[in-house]
Amino acid sequence: MSGFVGVLVSDQWLQSQFTQVELRTLKSKYVSERTQSGRVTVGNLPPIFKKLKGFAELFTEDEIKDALAESYQNMDEEIDFESFLRAHLNLQARAIAKDGGSKSSSFLKAATTTVHHAINESEKASYVAHINNYLAEDKFMSQFLPIDPSTNALFDLAKDGVLLCKLINVAVPGTIDERAINTKRVLNPWERNENHTLGLNSAKAIGCTVVNIGTQDLVEGRPYLVLGLISQIIKIQLLADLNLKKTPQLVELVEDDKDVEELVSLAPEKVLLKWMNFHLKKAGYEKQVTNFSSDLKDGEAYAYLLNALAPEVAGPSALTTSDPTERANMVLEQAERLDCKRYLTPKDIVEGSPNLNLAFVAQIFQHRNGLTTVDTQKMSFAEMMTDDAETSREERCFRLWINSLGIATYVNNVFEDVRNGWVLLEVLDKVSPGSVNWKLATKPPIKMPFRKVENCNQVIKIGKDLNFSLVNVAGNDIVQGNKKLLLAFLWQLMRFTMLQLLKNLRSHSQGKEITDADILNWANNKVKRAGRTSQMESFKDKNLSSGIFFLELLSAVEPRVVNWSLVTKGETDEDKKLNATYIISVARKLGCSIFLLPEDIIEVNQKMILILTASIMYWSLQKPEENVTPEASPIASVDGENETNVVDEVSNLAIDDNASENASSP
């Protein structure tokens, strides 16, 4: 494991103004300039700052130079790293003032965790109540509960990483093998770092966005980051049933087959709004609810909704009062009779708290969705829209990988969301910077069909430039949503990304291309050198289903990470699943950003087996040598904004499909 302790700054206030990911990114810029020029002067800063996200669109180099001149008289003055950070902060303040606080600014998206440190006490109290409720029976966590929301106990408890891991398993059961969590009253720095790395990689694996969060931020218990991550995890839990696979009765919300197709592609919160408006329309409510904030402030929509879904506990009383606060209070009392958890107060409704209103509506859906009618024709079409198990797992893997890249668009369903070409262009620009000609691209919403085809034609052209196998494939195939083609394209895109990362890391590769055979040989040699006897003949070797080879490989790259007393022989189906679940959690605990499921190991899915092997190889090769200073160590970083930084590239793991044929045959 790495001896990572983060980038440390002697001025504690200055350190508190940045997340660890931001500090690592800025440190890499500073060190790079110092390495090239021998020293860093004030005059070096304008071109450096001009390239940073957010500054690029707001300042010219001359404007940055003028701003620096107000603090420094001599442009040739040498500055240290702390002065570099202060100059960045000053320019950041100017950027916010110049942009007028517009939330649409990409700068504010990137720097929001640095600039706005205030937390919502009402949200904090709600999340604490959620934790106290759902983890009350947990053997380890119960000793620390209940948490007092009026204190900082929540953030202190989050510092050892166990809380977030437990919450992830509540949201999506089975995500983390709890045997891999370090649970002791007092953890050493290694164990704490492992828990946070496991937690962040697992959070990404259930769909959380963890860009701009590093393990050191969680070790420090930064309230705004901890609360933001907890909010995402709870949201995923509450919205888990808002899809056709879990709740097929949702087809009642749409009119025809075309609408069913649209329903599949909607984000869960959009489905929740659609469900709410469906019942409100039937109840005679004349307004359309378009958000979980201003449209719910007067409480009327809630009163109509509960009266329609549960007249036995609601009744018209809440509609007769003219005071919004009184109505909100009555609504909450009625919802409690349905056993809905009280995620918000009357004040939160009146003030339009979006996160808490969403949680409340999701609770009502879980307890009384009011969907009963089953249209057999629509149901059969909905079943056709759902994929077989392997296709569904691959879609999930690609979707989570794309979202982990930190592109602007969030993908809810790969097969639907990539059909206009825009998302694929964003991904291509991320993994192969400069490859996209944005002047020829059309941003959604796209009304003209031929514009979608143009986007997708450019996607195919770039793919061919990157030597993807795209014989007889045209942009229109993507627009039509050809699932087999889309899966093949995305797999090659992942392959390109992964092999480039490995090529860049392997200094001993001397610029040679990395092949799947290289990955296979590396894994076998690593296990052999560790004195183990397991070997894999190919990435579809059926013996891999036991999990023993991967546990030996993980132990070879980091001897202390596998607890062999927990490992089974992998002979029965149950033992194989125990090993597979443990393998995934141990790999994430090391720092591997992977999105496969235990079934992929048990069934020896060669694509996902290759992903796992290459991810372990990538982690092992970028592991710092003993003489690397903790400050420069990248292992503990789980995600970030700077794609040129190896630290951040750890989270962008991706692998190969076509080349795997060579290594997939015994």
Side-chain angles (χ1 to χ4, degrees):
M1 288 296 294
S2 153
F4 178 83
V5 295
V7 176
L8 301 178
V9 180
S10 60
D11 184 331
Q12 287 301 306
W13 176 86
L14 188 59
Q15 171 122 16
S16 72
Q17 301 304 299
F18 299 90
T19 66
Q20 275 296 315
V21 169
E22 290 167 337
L23 283 171
R24 286 190 291 274
T25 299
L26 293 171
K27 182 77 172 182
S28 71
K29 297 287 186 188
Y30 179 84
V31 171
S32 175
E33 181 63 30
R34 190 177 61 190
T35 302
Q36 290 179 19
S37 307
R39 63 185 192 131
V40 180
T41 66
V42 178
N44 296 140
L45 300 189
I48 297 175
F49 286 166
K50 170 65 179 168
K51 292 177 184 177
L52 292 177
K53 225 174 222 181
F55 292 158
E57 60 192 49
L58 292 174
F59 299 110
T60 64
E61 278 193 33
D62 286 340
E63 287 175 324
I64 295 173
K65 185 176 180 180
D66 290 342
L68 291 169
E70 294 180 14
S71 302
Y72 297 93
Q73 294 181 337
N74 182 7
M75 285 287 131
D76 199 41
E77 181 181 338
E78 185 173 353
I79 61 171
D80 59 16
F81 181 55
E82 290 194 13
S83 299
F84 180 85
L85 292 179
R86 288 191 177 88
H88 181 277
L89 276 182
N90 289 337
L91 192 60
Q92 191 177 81
R94 283 175 179 265
I96 294 169
K98 184 174 183 178
D99 198 50
S102 168
K103 290 187 178 178
S104 64
S105 164
S106 62
F107 172 81
L108 289 179
K109 285 181 185 174
T112 183
T113 53
T114 303
V115 180
H116 303 294
H117 287 193
I119 62 171
N120 186 311
E121 289 295 334
S122 191
E123 285 189 20
K124 174 186 164 188
S126 177
Y127 301 151
V128 164
H130 180 96
I131 292 166
N132 287 339
N133 178 55
Y134 281 95
L135 293 177
E137 303 300 319
D138 185 272
K139 288 183 179 178
F140 180 78
M141 295 303 301
S142 59
Q143 63 187 312
F144 305 106
L145 303 179
I147 301 169
D148 182 352
S150 66
T151 68
N152 284 326
L154 171 64
F155 309 118
D156 292 335
L157 185 56
K159 288 180 179 179
D160 66 6
V162 179
L163 173 64
L164 290 176
C165 288
K166 295 281 187 178
L167 270 181
I168 287 168
N169 266 0
V170 168
V172 184
T175 299
I176 296 175
D177 186 332
E178 298 210 356
R179 298 174 298 172
I181 305 173
N182 299 315
T183 51
K184 295 191 303 189
R185 290 285 301 194
V186 180
L187 298 178
N188 64 40
W190 298 103
E191 294 165 331
R192 188 180 298 116
N193 186 69
E194 285 178 341
N195 280 350
H196 286 307
T197 306
L198 172 60
L200 284 175
N201 278 317
S202 299
K204 284 199 295 182
I206 66 171
C208 292
T209 302
V210 299
V211 172
N212 228 24
I213 304 177
T215 55
Q216 187 64 20
D217 298 312
L218 299 180
V219 169
E220 294 170 5
R222 293 189 174 221
Y224 51 100
L225 291 177
V226 171
L227 211 59
L229 192 50
I230 289 175
S231 173
Q232 289 189 70
I233 295 168
I234 291 175
K235 179 181 174 183
I236 287 168
Q237 176 187 342
L238 294 175
L239 300 178
D241 293 338
L242 281 148
N243 59 73
L244 285 175
K245 192 170 286 186
K246 292 283 186 68
T247 313
Q249 294 86 353
L250 284 167
V251 293
E252 191 178 341
L253 306 183
V254 298
E255 297 294 332
D256 53 37
D257 291 351
K258 185 179 179 182
D259 292 333
V260 173
E261 196 171 335
E262 181 189 342
L263 188 64
V264 170
S265 66
L266 284 181
E269 50 267 44
K270 297 290 186 184
V271 177
L272 192 61
L273 281 174
K274 196 174 186 70
W275 166 81
M276 190 176 190
N277 283 312
F278 172 79
H279 286 298
L280 289 175
K281 185 178 179 180
K282 288 206 305 185
Y285 188 67
E286 296 177 355
K287 300 175 187 175
Q288 182 88 354
V289 176
T290 60
N291 57 63
F292 292 103
S293 181
S294 58
D295 288 357
L296 299 176
K297 283 184 176 182
D298 61 12
E300 284 188 8
Y302 280 133
Y304 272 93
L305 181 65
L306 288 172
N307 193 33
L309 293 174
E312 76 278 9
V313 301
S317 55
L319 293 170
T320 58
T321 180
S322 58
D323 180 20
T325 303
E326 185 181 346
R327 183 184 297 119
N329 190 53
M330 293 174 74
V331 162
L332 292 175
E333 288 175 353
Q334 292 166 358
E336 280 193 338
R337 292 183 208 136
L338 284 177
D339 289 332
C340 292
K341 302 291 183 302
R342 193 175 264 234
Y343 278 95
L344 72 178
T345 64
K347 183 183 178 187
D348 296 323
I349 293 178
V350 173
E351 292 182 352
S353 171
N355 287 339
L356 299 185
N357 272 312
L358 183 145
F360 183 50
V361 177
Q363 273 276 301
I364 297 172
F365 175 86
Q366 287 182 356
H367 286 84
R368 188 73 64 91
N369 65 37
L371 301 173
T372 53
T373 307
V374 177
D375 183 319
T376 51
Q377 184 179 344
K378 283 193 288 189
M379 283 289 283
S380 62
F381 186 78
E383 287 170 6
M384 287 170 56
M385 291 293 294
T386 56
D387 305 306
D388 62 75
E390 186 172 345
T391 300
S392 181
R393 289 205 301 265
E394 288 193 19
E395 185 278 334
R396 171 191 171 278
C397 175
F398 293 134
R399 168 167 39 87
L400 293 168
W401 173 68
I402 289 171
N403 287 334
S404 78
L405 296 174
I407 64 172
T409 307
Y410 189 87
V411 175
N412 293 291
N413 181 293
V414 166
F415 297 134
E416 294 300 321
D417 294 353
V418 304
R419 288 171 60 178
N420 61 25
W422 183 261
V423 168
L424 293 175
L425 289 173
E426 284 186 289
V427 174
L428 284 164
D429 192 54
K430 193 77 171 180
V431 302
S432 180
S435 62
V436 177
N437 184 343
W438 291 110
K439 292 180 180 178
L440 301 179
T442 304
K443 186 175 183 178
I446 305 173
K447 294 181 180 179
M448 305 298 289
F450 76 92
R451 295 294 185 192
K452 297 179 183 180
V453 176
E454 285 178 347
N455 280 355
C456 293
N457 282 341
Q458 186 177 181
V459 168
I460 297 299
K461 179 185 178 299
I462 296 169
K464 289 178 178 177
D465 291 342
L466 298 176
N467 295 319
F468 291 4
S469 176
L470 296 168
V471 180
N472 296 324
V473 176
N476 196 51
D477 295 314
I478 296 176
V479 177
Q480 295 300 318
N482 184 318
K483 292 184 179 181
K484 185 177 179 181
L485 182 150
L486 285 171
L487 289 175
F489 182 86
L490 286 167
W491 184 245
Q492 292 183 81
L493 190 53
M494 294 179 79
R495 173 201 181 205
F496 170 80
T497 311
M498 184 66 222
L499 297 185
Q500 286 299 114
L501 291 176
L502 287 171
K503 179 183 175 182
N504 293 340
L505 277 181
R506 294 184 71 184
S507 56
H508 56 278
S509 71
Q510 299 176 332
K512 295 178 182 177
E513 297 299 325
I514 304 297
T515 67
D516 285 10
D518 291 329
I519 298 170
L520 182 76
N521 292 335
W522 172 86
N524 280 329
N525 290 335
K526 199 76 178 175
V527 171
K528 188 176 181 179
R529 285 199 301 270
R532 301 283 183 174
T533 56
S534 294
Q535 294 283 280
M536 67 169 161
E537 295 182 357
S538 71
F539 293 116
K540 52 185 179 183
D541 185 341
K542 293 301 179 185
N543 292 322
L544 295 174
S545 67
S546 71
I548 298 300
F549 177 81
F550 287 110
L551 288 164
E552 292 188 346
L553 178 59
L554 287 163
S555 181
V557 300
E558 179 49 73
R560 61 181 292 279
V561 79
V562 176
N563 182 347
W564 286 99
S565 68
L566 302 176
V567 177
T568 73
K569 292 182 180 179
E571 294 173 350
T572 67
D573 289 345
E574 185 180 347
D575 285 352
K576 287 178 180 179
K577 182 152 190 178
L578 284 169
N579 283 354
T581 306
Y582 188 54
I583 287 165
I584 292 170
S585 289
V586 168
R588 286 176 179 153
K589 186 175 178 178
L590 274 183
C592 299
S593 184
I594 49 178
F595 305 107
L596 76 167
L597 294 169
E599 289 79 8
D600 294 314
I601 297 175
I602 297 166
E603 297 171 14
V604 194
N605 179 324
Q606 70 179 71
K607 292 179 181 178
M608 298 306 161
I609 291 293
L610 177 55
I611 286 177
L612 178 60
T613 311
S615 300
I616 298 169
M617 178 181 179
Y618 184 77
W619 183 87
S620 179
L621 291 179
Q622 55 88 55
K623 188 168 67 168
E625 302 298 330
E626 293 301 316
N627 61 345
V628 175
T629 61
E631 183 174 279
S633 168
I635 305 303
S637 170
V638 179
D639 215 357
E641 299 260 62
N642 188 338
E643 55 268 22
T644 64
N645 194 327
V646 171
V647 177
D648 304 326
E649 289 177 328
V650 177
S651 65
N652 297 344
L653 280 189
I655 328 288
D656 153 45
D657 180 28
N658 281 352
S660 68
E661 291 307 312
N662 296 333
S664 296
S665 302

